[in-house]
């Protein structure tokens, strides 16, 4: 079974803090994704990566950056957290480049920025 | 503008009945569409994929249809059970190997 883990289930941070969210997958998947999920807006893609050190902007990259130094790990960084970044953050991985392939999601990190 | 619409109101049905959830889209030409299940506080879990050249796909008590003329997918759960209560998300081919998700419909199955 594919397993995608996220470093924290819940996080509380203050405005202006630098925040790191980590995601690890154990199935040697090429592609990894970061989404945020907000009521009424659904899942929105922040960034994705199709290989080590490669990244592509999603639909809402502003205020975020990512890092993929190893194949199994994909980090989301909030350089200076703001209250409008309070959300549920979901990481996902996918075996190959085909968009129709299944995405496997982690359990999510609920981030509250005060 | 591009839109994916799922009914934002919860669907309440009785155990044993068939639940039908709708996903409509505008200004997309998806080659495929996926359905996911999401339980509270958890990440979505993949259920079914249907391609544009397939009219219907089944998996156990689940059935998905895909009508590219109507720009609509229907997701059916037959003989529904309380354990089927969850939010169901449709996701379609947004181009460039990306999935675009709907906001989901919450299903509540009462005993």
């Amino acid at each position: 079974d594919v397993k995608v883990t996220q470093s924290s289930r819940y996080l509380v941070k203050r405005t202006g803090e630098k925040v790191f969210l980590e995601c690890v997958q154990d199935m040697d998947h090429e592609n990894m994704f970061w989404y945020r999920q907000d009521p009424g807006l659904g899942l929105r893609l922040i960034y994705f990566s199709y290989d080590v050190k490669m990244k592509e902007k999603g639909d809402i990259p502003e205020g975020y950056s990512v890092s993929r130094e190893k194949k199994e790990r994909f980090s989301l960084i909030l350089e200076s957290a703001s209250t409008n970044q309070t959300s549920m953050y979901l990481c996902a991985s996918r075996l190959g480049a085909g968009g129709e392939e299944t995405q496997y999601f982690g359990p999510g990190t609920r981030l509250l920025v005060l | 503008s591009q839109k994916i619409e799922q009914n934002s109101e919860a669907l309440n049905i009785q155990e044993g009945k068939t639940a039908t959830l709708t996903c409509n889209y505008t200004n997309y030409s998806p080659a495929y569409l996926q359905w996911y299940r999401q339980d509270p506080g958890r990440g979505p879990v993949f259920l079914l994929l249907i391609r544009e050249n397939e009219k219907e796909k089944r998996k156990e008590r689940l059935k998905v249809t895909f009508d590219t003329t109507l720009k609509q997918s229907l997701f059916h759960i037959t003989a529904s059970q309380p354990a089927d209560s969850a939010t169901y998300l449709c996701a379609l081919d947004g181009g460039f190997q990306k999935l675009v998700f709907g906001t989901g419909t919450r299903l509540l199955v009462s005993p």
Side-chain angles (χ1 to χ4, degrees), chain A residues 9 31 33 35 37 40-43 45 48 57-59 88 90 94 97-103 105-108, chain B residues 8 31-34 36 38 40-47 49 51 87 89 93 96-104:
Chain A
R9 292 301 306 272
N31 294 248
F33 305 82
Y35 295 89
Q37 185 174 31
L41 296 176
L43 274 85
L45 182 64
F48 69 102
K57 291 180 180 178
D59 299 316
M88 169 75 114
L90 288 158
R94 182 179 74 194
E100 66 179 50
E101 294 191 33
T102 302
Q103 288 194 16
F105 284 84
Chain B
S8 58
Y32 56 84
L33 192 144
Q34 299 184 11
Y36 287 76
Q38 187 174 22
R42 312 290 290 272
V45 175
F46 172 78
L47 296 173
L49 163 79
R51 295 183 178 87
T87 296
L89 308 172
D93 167 24
F96 303 103
Q97 302 166 8
K98 293 191 291 187
L99 275 182
V100 181
F101 284 83
T103 53

Side-chain angles (χ1 to χ4, degrees), chain B:
Chain B
S1 64
Q2 293 179 313
K3 273 194 300 189
I4 305 171
E5 291 180 308
Q6 293 186 258
N7 196 338
S8 58
E9 289 184 19
L11 177 64
N12 288 275
I13 63 166
Q14 286 266 283
E15 183 175 9
K17 302 289 186 187
T18 296
T20 299
L21 306 178
T22 304
C23 177
N24 295 299
Y25 58 91
T26 310
N27 291 327
Y28 285 103
S29 297
Y32 56 84
L33 192 144
Q34 299 184 11
W35 283 88
Y36 287 76
R37 169 184 171 141
Q38 187 174 22
D39 291 288
R42 312 290 290 272
V45 175
F46 172 78
L47 296 173
L48 279 167
L49 163 79
I50 187 164
R51 295 183 178 87
E52 62 179 337
N53 60 348
E54 298 172 317
K55 289 216 179 314
E56 181 180 297
K57 204 80 167 282
R58 291 177 186 258
K59 179 181 172 183
E60 297 171 355
R61 295 184 296 111
L62 308 180
K63 184 178 88 170
V64 173
T65 63
F66 191 9
D67 188 327
T68 55
T69 303
L70 289 179
K71 297 188 182 296
Q72 181 181 79
S73 175
L74 298 178
F75 176 82
H76 307 271
I77 306 176
T78 57
S80 59
Q81 304 165 1
D84 295 326
S85 298
T87 296
Y88 291 87
L89 308 172
C90 72
L92 54 77
D93 167 24
F96 303 103
Q97 302 166 8
K98 293 191 291 187
L99 275 182
V100 181
F101 284 83
T103 53
T105 298
R106 190 167 167 223
L107 173 66
L108 297 168
V109 182
S110 320

Side-chain angles (χ1 to χ4, degrees), chain A residues 9-47:
Chain A
R9 292 301 306 272
Y10 301 95
L11 270 181
V12 181
K13 296 291 180 182
R14 298 229 172 256
T15 301
E17 278 193 79
K18 191 167 186 175
V19 182
F20 292 87
L21 302 181
E22 295 230 305
C23 175
V24 178
Q25 49 93 4
D26 68 355
M27 284 301 291
D28 204 35
H29 282 181
E30 301 286 338
N31 294 248
M32 296 186 75
F33 305 82
W34 275 106
Y35 295 89
R36 64 178 282 177
Q37 185 174 31
D38 301 285
L41 296 176
L43 274 85
R44 292 179 292 166
L45 182 64
I46 304 171
Y47 267 97

Side-chain angles (χ1 to χ4, degrees), chain A residues 47-57 65-68 74:
Chain A
Y47 267 97
F48 69 102
S49 169
Y50 51 89
D51 202 350
V52 174
K53 297 193 188 296
M54 306 303 287
K55 61 185 180 187
E56 290 284 340
K57 291 180 180 178
S65 62
V66 290
S67 171
R68 192 160 180 209
F74 191 34

